[in-house]
């Protein structure tokens, strides 16, 4: 599809979209780019999980002329919490969050991952921890609820500003930036979108230097 003055090849989805907030794609699908650099990872779409910001972020990165390619992945089991998470109230109908081997390979094929996983702080922290346990990638966390580096480090997640004690590190990957206040089901503000673009651009430059 043509975006601005640059033509990019974008495979939008593997199957038909669904419902409000699910127009991006069905669960278990990925929009792939020719030269994978950045991947935006979203929840499974559903009544409580509105994936809309994921598509907005993907489009904005392309539209702003960022000099790399962007993919989008909608997880097959992106609801609930990981099975090894502490007991947390509010899990979605007993669903367990998880990753398939194919999804792990798809995420690891990129240099930077943007992770968007809901609005319950404890759920988001556990999902990020689980993903980065299995995937060695630099991550930018985008959330509606406020999350800080200490929240993640307490669960063994490596971060740019706070590190867990060496014996309690659980992740291969690390969180390099956090952008909170991105509301589900709504287009992110210009300020929040600028924060995401700035974080991704910085990480890409660091990896090329």
């Amino acid at each position: 599809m043509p975006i601005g003055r640059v033509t990019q090849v974008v495979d939008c989805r593997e199957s038909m979209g669904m419902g409000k907030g699910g127009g991006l794609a069905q669960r278990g699908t990925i929009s792939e780019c020719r030269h994978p650099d950045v991947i935006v990872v979203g929840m499974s779409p559903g009544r409580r999980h509105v994936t809309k910001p994921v598509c907005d972020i993907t489009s904005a990165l392309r539209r702003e002329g960022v000099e790399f390619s962007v993919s989008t992945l909608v997880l097959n089991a992106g609801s609930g919490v990981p099975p090894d998470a502490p007991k947390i109230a509010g899990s979605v109908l007993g669903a367990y969050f998880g990753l398939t081997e194919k999804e792990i390979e798809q995420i690891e094929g990129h240099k930077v991952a943007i992770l968007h996983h809901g609005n319950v702080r404890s759920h988001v922290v556990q999902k990020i921890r689980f993903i980065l346990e299995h995937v060695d990638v630099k991550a930018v966390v985008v959330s509606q609820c406020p999350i800080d580096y200490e929240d993640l480090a307490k669960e063994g997640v490596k971060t740019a500003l706070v590190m867990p004690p060496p014996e309690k590190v659980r992740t291969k990957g690390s969180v390099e930036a956090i952008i909170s206040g991105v509301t589900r089901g709504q287009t992110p503000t210009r300020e929040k979108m600028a924060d995401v673009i700035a974080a991704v651009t910085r990480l890409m430059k660091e990896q090329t230097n």
Side-chain angles (χ1 to χ4, degrees):
M1 69 175 65
I3 301 176
R5 296 182 180 178
V6 180
T7 298
Q8 299 184 28
V9 178
V10 181
D11 179 12
C12 292
R13 55 173 65 103
E14 292 180 11
S15 60
M16 185 179 296
M18 59 173 286
K20 179 181 178 181
L24 167 68
Q26 275 275 16
R27 67 182 67 222
T29 67
I30 183 172
S31 69
E32 295 180 319
C33 52
R34 185 177 300 173
H35 305 292
D37 287 323
V38 180
I39 186 165
V40 186
V41 182
M43 309 169 290
S44 304
R47 180 174 60 86
R48 293 176 60 185
H49 282 188
V50 182
T51 58
K52 175 176 169 54
V54 173
C55 195
D56 288 319
I57 291 168
T58 305
S59 298
L61 286 168
R62 295 182 178 129
R63 185 174 61 247
E64 292 298 320
V66 180
E67 296 299 324
F68 39 78
S69 298
V70 185
S71 304
T72 307
L73 172 64
V74 179
L75 295 176
N76 183 62
S79 304
V81 295
D84 62 347
K87 290 186 178 179
I88 299 173
S91 185
V92 182
L93 300 177
Y96 281 128
F97 177 88
L99 293 172
T100 65
E101 289 296 326
K102 180 180 178 181
E103 289 169 341
I104 291 171
E105 291 178 7
Q106 288 169 332
I107 297 172
E108 281 200 325
H110 297 75
K111 298 173 183 176
V112 175
I114 300 173
L115 307 180
H116 175 262
H117 295 287
N119 185 40
V120 180
R121 180 184 297 181
S122 55
H123 289 201
V124 174
V125 169
Q126 291 298 330
K127 290 176 182 180
I128 293 166
R129 186 268 305 165
F130 187 87
I131 290 173
L132 296 181
E133 272 189 322
H134 292 83
V135 179
D136 187 0
V137 69
K138 302 289 186 182
V140 176
V141 173
V142 176
S143 68
Q144 180 173 334
C145 58
I147 297 174
D148 58 35
Y149 294 97
E150 287 83 1
D151 294 328
L152 295 164
K154 286 177 183 176
E155 296 300 324
V157 179
K158 295 189 293 185
T159 79
L161 299 183
V162 182
M163 290 292 286
E167 69 277 7
K168 294 187 177 181
V169 171
R170 300 179 63 177
T171 62
K172 301 176 183 177
S174 62
V175 172
E176 300 295 318
I178 300 173
I179 293 91
S180 299
V182 177
T183 306
R184 292 180 299 177
Q186 297 182 17
T187 298
T189 65
R190 288 185 179 182
E191 291 77 14
K192 294 298 180 181
M193 202 72 81
D195 289 343
V196 174
I197 293 170
V200 171
T201 302
R202 173 178 59 81
L203 290 174
M204 289 300 300
K205 287 182 178 178
E206 288 176 359
Q207 296 198 51
T208 55
N209 292 338

